[in-house]
Each structure stands twice: as structure tokens, then as C-alpha cells.
Amino acid sequence: MTIAAMKKRAKAEGWSDRICSEQDLAAIREGCWFDTNTASLVTEFFETYLQHTMGDHAGQQFELLPWQREVLETLLAWKREDGSMRFKKGWIWTAKKQGKSTLSAGLCLWYLLTCGKRGETYGVAHTRDQAGIIYREAAAMVKASKAIGGKLRVLDSKKRILHPSNGSFYQALAGEACARGVEGINPNLVLFDEIHAQRSRVLYDALAYASAARRNSMLLSVSTVGVADRSLIWWEGYEYTKNLQAGTITDPYTFGYLRQAEEICADDFEACGEPEQWHKAMPSLGVTVTEETIRQHYIEAKNSPAKQNAFRRYLLNIPTAAVDKVVPIHLWHECSMDEPELVGRECFGGLDMASHEDLSAFVLYFPAGNEDQRAFVLPFIFCPSGKIREREAAGMAFYRQWKDEGWLMTAGESRVDHRTIQQVIRECCDLYNVTEIGFDPWGADGVVNELIDEGTPMIAVSQGLAGMTPGTRALLDDISEKRIFHGGNPVMSWCLSNCTADQKADGLVRFNKHKSADKIDAAVALAMARGRELAASQSKVEPEIFF
């Protein structure tokens, strides 16, 4: 049948509005069609036989939200030419607290009651507690419905629901250890809950191939996005869903549903506070969670940068880095400017020699002065030439690019040459009014001892929380309020973007990288320089006497 003929049939049967994407057009080319009777039955099942079992809606009949109706009817009512289900695999991505678990529990019960004799339905998660969420919701729905409760038997001790009359069952599974025990199963539905927590693809692959024998089997994942790690199974599904929705790939037999805020929210936290962005990621906003609750979370995260990535991932459904970064890097980028006249101007330095075989950094901080002088950062970042070649061979060509563009200075061959760094510090002391240079005592002897003997004002700075808090906190405030400027050195920006933080409830904070391979040396050096300036300015303040 031609496309024109299928569209004519769709219009006559009342489902032409279900052809919504390039994937749907590809499906009708393959002879797929939408079964309006099945769509009605699915809606009737949820809204007639199921009840909410918790929260403000407990005891009320299930009323499908528009997005839930769209997902269920699309998943279950599209058919292939032979009458079997169109979709064999699916991915559903929304922010947290959107009723995903409730929807999943109802879907599992639908399968259990309609899949025929000896059907097998599985709810799968990374941990037993997570696997128990869908099971408990499904079990509570069974117990709350006289019609369903009379057909099904709940076994809480085994997290299993039986359909005794036809030998079918629903079973909760948890953990990768289950992979060894699923070789002989023959599932109608495998529903993965929060697959972003799945560290390995072993269990997923085992269940995917196990479901291949059933005519109407489905492998479905319902999840919030996780940390951005391309090696994990969830990332593969997330990217596939994005490509399905964009039409950059054609696969009429895989279902993809993705709700998330716009990309601007990944870098601009101000944009994260717009209700329009919340609605893009949270299709149940106003029902399962209120705008006021989200606004409170936003204000809290805005005042505590360490919480901003969590807000993005859980409430805006945007993948974030594996650890929470604390520097609002988009604001840092906005403060790039041409280098002003700095010769003779007062400044403070920071020296970090944390790595003899990779980056070392000497950074000058010029505080804001009179005549509209802005606070300015001037970094000097060093790397052995051998390390640049090693990084380039490993696919990190940006080290070479930084060196060629003059942002990164070579110092030594296989290890950092202290003499190069000493010479740069001497030249800076000649050009600028360097008041103090804070340095990390660890590994710095080769550089600082001669400089101290020469009279250079070097001050050892403890790298503990107490020693690093003043400069780190002042620097974070400067960046957040866009009152610190720089020449756009990409190495400096990279180090700042890599920073996480050790923080204590009493306000102590310092930069950390939490075992990441990425570098933060220049950021640490800048925090030390800012801390020395802060200490000097505070020492100049005369005490006030009140009578």
C-alpha cells in the first residue's frame, strides 16, 4: 500500500493525527497502522481499574495526564501489518517526580493481564530498593482494585504478582548478579527503571536477547538522565532517543520520548530558573509537583553552586558531569576582555607546582583600583614538552593547540624545568608591583628557595580547608558577580571548569578535582593569589572605636 493510500486509510479510520514524525511516516511505509480500539482499551484500563495509592491523590481513580496518554497509546496501539506490536524497544526520559513509577506499575499490570498464557513481566532496577518501587506501587494497585485483586495474587516476600488462572507473573529483579539467572526466561515485557544507575550493560543485554522470542515482547526503559558518561548503557539510549526525535536516524520500531530543558540551561543557571524550562522537562508539573516547590529548589541551588548540577539533572533532565562543578563558567567566559595596561600595577601571585610531569601554574591577580581599573587575572601556565606530545598521542590535541597559540608555555622535556618558572616570576616582579606570592609548599622547594633568598615575597599557603577557604570563596563570589576579568586564556578556563569543591557546613571550602584526570592547577594558583590579596586588604583596615 502506498503512503497516500495509508494516509487516506488513517483519515478514514480517525488516526491521521497519530502520524506525527519521520519515524511514523517510515512506519506506515512499512505497513504499520494505529489501532484505535487498543488505544481506547488502554485508557479505559488505567482510568477504570487503577487507583492512585499514595500522596494527595491516594484513593482517587487514575486519570491519565496528556503526556501519559500519549506515551501509552503510542507504545501499545501502533501495530505492524501482521497485527503484532510496532515497537519492540523503547526509551522514556523525563525529570524526576513526574509519575514515571506509577505509570510503569500500571503498564506492568496491563501486560500481566493481557499477555496471554504463561506470560512473563519483569520490573528491573540496579538495586533491590529501586526495583521495589515499581513492585510496591503495582502491588498496592492490585490490593486497591476489587476487579484486579480478584484475578491476581500478591507475594510480597518474593516481590512477585501472580495471575494464577493462566500461569502468568510479574517479578521484580535487581542488580547485575541477576544476569546469570535470566538466560532461561522468556519475557513479554522487561521494564528498566532508572537505567542511568546501571553501571554495566551485562544485565540489559541479557534481557534484551531473552525477549527476542516473544511476538509482542517489549524492552522498555523509563528513567531520568544520568551523569554524562559515554561508556554507560543509558547514554547510548539517550543519544538514540535524541536522534529519533530529531529524525537524524530512521527506526520505526524503537519508541523514543524525551522531555528536557533547552541546552542553554547546561551553561546558564539563570535560564534554569524560568518556569518555561521546567515545563519542558516536567510534563506533570502542577500535578505531581508544584511550581513553588521547584522555585524553592532553584533558589537554594542558585545560592549554593555545588547543588546546581543536581538541579539540572534531576529537575531539568539535562546530563551533567560526573561530579558537581562549582565555578559558574559561563559567567567567567562573559568577563573576557583585552589585557589592560598592567605595568607597575599592584598585584598578588599564586604558584601551584602540584604536578612535576604535567601542568604547573603561576597566576597574578590585579585587584580593582582607582580610575576604573578592573580586577584582572594574568596566568602563566607551564607543561613539559614531552607531556604535550603524550597528550596529543592520546587524542588530547588541545594541549598542542594551546602551546601553538601561546596560552601554554613549555618548561622542560619530561619533567617541569623549575628554571623556566623562576625566570617568569623574576620578570613579573620587574614589570609589576608584586606584593606577595602565595605558594603550595608541596613540591615547590626547587622553585621558591632561590627566589626567597633573592628577596621575592613568597608566602607558604596551607592547602587545607582553613588555608584555602578565604581565597576560594572570594574568587567564587567574584566570578558569580562578574567583577573579575581576564584575557580569555583557555587553559585557565579549562582548569576552572574542572573544579569541584570540598565544602563543610561551617562555610569552609577549597577546590578539588575528585580524582578526575582533568587539571585544576591554574584555578588553585588563582585562589591562592586572591587569598593573599584578601589578607593584605584586611590587614590595612584600621579598627573602629565606638564611644
Side-chain angles (χ1 to χ4, degrees):
M1 189 178 292
T2 65
I3 286 276
M6 285 298 295
K7 286 185 174 181
K8 185 176 180 180
R9 173 186 172 181
K11 185 174 182 180
E13 295 178 356
W15 54 271
S16 58
D17 60 332
R18 302 291 180 161
I19 305 172
C20 304
S21 67
E22 291 296 321
Q23 310 305 326
D24 294 336
L25 285 172
I28 64 173
R29 288 191 190 99
E30 298 289 330
C32 295
W33 55 286
F34 188 84
D35 185 352
T36 55
N37 289 330
T38 297
S40 297
L41 287 173
V42 171
T43 299
E44 182 182 357
F45 172 76
F46 270 80
E47 297 190 341
T48 302
Y49 297 105
L50 300 184
Q51 293 182 11
H52 292 284
T53 62
M54 65 177 68
D56 295 338
H57 302 287
Q60 298 177 17
Q61 290 299 123
F62 205 111
E63 184 175 345
L64 290 171
L65 297 173
W67 79 272
Q68 294 173 327
R69 183 190 299 270
E70 175 192 348
V71 165
L72 288 170
E73 293 183 351
T74 302
L75 265 179
L76 302 175
W78 269 99
K79 303 291 181 65
R80 302 191 187 201
E81 192 171 13
D82 64 0
S84 63
M85 291 174 54
R86 167 184 165 184
F87 296 109
K88 294 293 187 180
K89 181 183 287 188
W91 304 87
I92 299 172
W93 309 94
T94 74
K96 278 191 172 297
K97 303 302 179 185
Q98 300 307 296
K100 297 192 300 294
S101 295
T102 303
L103 185 70
S104 298
L107 183 59
C108 288
L109 293 179
W110 164 268
Y111 263 84
L112 180 54
L113 289 162
T114 63
C115 63
K117 289 187 176 298
R118 300 182 65 191
E120 301 177 20
T121 298
Y122 295 93
V124 187
H126 183 59
T127 65
R128 287 182 59 84
D129 287 343
Q130 188 66 41
I133 291 174
I134 292 179
Y135 166 77
R136 287 191 297 272
E137 182 68 16
M141 286 178 171
V142 171
K143 294 172 184 177
S145 171
K146 292 182 180 180
I148 297 178
K151 295 179 179 293
L152 304 180
R153 180 184 173 195
V154 174
L155 300 178
D156 286 331
S157 61
K158 296 183 177 181
K159 288 188 172 61
R160 178 178 286 230
I161 302 175
L162 302 177
H163 191 343
S165 67
N166 67 5
S168 300
F169 64 86
Y170 163 87
Q171 177 67 57
L173 297 177
E176 292 163 15
C178 289
R180 295 189 297 272
V182 300
E183 298 299 330
I185 70 172
N186 192 14
N188 296 81
L189 172 68
V190 174
L191 194 149
F192 265 89
D193 188 31
E194 301 297 0
I195 198 171
H196 73 266
Q198 206 70 31
R199 304 306 300 174
S200 163
R201 63 181 303 140
V202 174
L203 179 58
Y204 181 87
D205 285 345
L207 289 168
Y209 288 107
S211 63
R214 295 276 193 180
R215 181 171 181 261
N216 280 323
S217 65
M218 182 181 293
L219 178 64
L220 180 66
S221 169
V222 182
S223 184
T224 301
V225 300
V227 297
D229 186 339
R230 294 179 181 274
S231 68
L232 299 181
I233 183 62
W234 84 264
W235 182 270
E236 179 183 316
Y238 168 71
E239 288 285 284
Y240 203 84
T241 304
K242 288 175 66 177
N243 288 330
L244 282 174
Q245 290 197 338
T248 55
I249 60 174
T250 301
D251 179 355
Y253 302 122
T254 298
F255 176 77
Y257 182 86
L258 172 64
R259 295 291 296 266
Q260 64 181 167
E262 295 175 3
E263 290 184 3
I264 188 176
C265 295
D267 296 317
D268 184 354
F269 199 68
E270 290 294 328
C272 296
E274 298 174 4
E276 178 185 1
Q277 300 294 344
W278 306 346
H279 282 277
K280 289 180 183 295
M282 293 181 275
S284 300
L285 185 61
V287 180
T288 59
V289 64
T290 66
E291 284 196 15
E292 182 58 32
T293 298
I294 304 304
R295 186 172 291 105
Q296 290 172 3
H297 284 303
Y298 172 74
I299 293 172
E300 183 178 359
K302 187 176 181 180
N303 292 323
S304 180
K307 297 179 180 179
Q308 291 178 6
N309 269 4
F311 184 92
R312 289 184 174 99
R313 183 154 68 89
Y314 294 127
L315 298 181
L316 299 185
N317 208 32
I318 295 175
T320 60
V323 289
D324 291 334
K325 306 301 176 69
V326 296
V327 176
I329 200 66
H330 68 287
L331 297 179
W332 170 263
H333 288 315
E334 290 178 12
C335 290
S336 178
M337 60 178 284
D338 292 336
E339 182 177 320
E341 177 58 56
L342 299 173
V343 174
R345 186 169 156 183
E346 182 185 33
C347 61
F348 296 79
L351 174 65
D352 187 79
M353 297 288 298
S355 175
H356 291 292
E357 298 178 357
D358 208 321
L359 297 187
S360 293
F362 173 59
V363 180
L364 292 176
Y365 170 77
F366 296 79
N370 298 325
E371 300 178 0
D372 197 32
Q373 287 183 332
R374 297 176 174 181
F376 194 81
V377 175
L378 184 62
F380 301 88
I381 307 171
F382 310 87
C383 186
S385 57
K387 178 59 68 173
I388 294 175
R389 291 193 298 270
E390 180 183 320
R391 288 267 179 167
E392 187 174 26
M396 302 176 72
F398 48 80
Y399 266 55
R400 171 69 62 186
Q401 180 180 347
W402 290 338
K403 184 260 183 187
D404 292 344
E405 294 176 352
W407 304 111
L408 182 62
M409 305 173 68
T410 54
E413 175 58 34
S414 59
R415 294 174 66 82
V416 171
D417 181 3
H418 293 163
R419 292 169 300 179
T420 301
I421 300 176
Q422 286 176 330
Q423 186 58 32
V424 168
I425 294 175
R426 292 186 183 107
E427 291 174 358
C428 287
C429 289
D430 289 339
L431 281 173
Y432 314 115
N433 179 15
V434 180
T435 302
E436 287 182 2
I437 299 174
F439 68 93
D440 176 1
W442 188 90
D445 291 350
V447 174
V448 304
N449 287 344
E450 289 186 29
L451 294 172
I452 291 173
D453 290 341
E454 295 168 7
T456 306
M458 308 293 296
I459 307 293
V461 177
S462 168
Q463 299 299 291
L465 280 163
M468 291 300 295
T469 288
T472 304
R473 187 162 296 285
L475 175 58
L476 289 173
D477 289 344
D478 288 345
I479 296 172
S480 294
E481 297 176 18
K482 297 199 291 187
R483 61 188 184 205
I484 185 169
F485 296 82
H486 56 93
N489 186 311
V491 195
M492 181 81 246
S493 299
W494 182 60
C495 289
L496 284 166
S497 71
N498 293 331
C499 289
T500 61
D502 292 326
Q503 300 190 71
K504 296 285 183 138
D506 56 6
L508 296 178
V509 59
R510 67 175 178 183
F511 289 144
N512 201 325
K513 61 179 182 178
H514 287 279
K515 301 181 180 179
S516 167
D518 295 332
K519 303 300 176 182
I520 64 171
D521 308 78
V524 173
L526 176 55
M528 283 190 284
R530 183 68 176 90
R532 296 320 306 160
E533 188 279 332
L534 184 66
S537 63
Q538 290 175 343
S539 68
K540 296 176 183 177
V541 177
E542 296 183 1
E544 295 182 275
I545 300 176
F546 297 92
F547 295 95

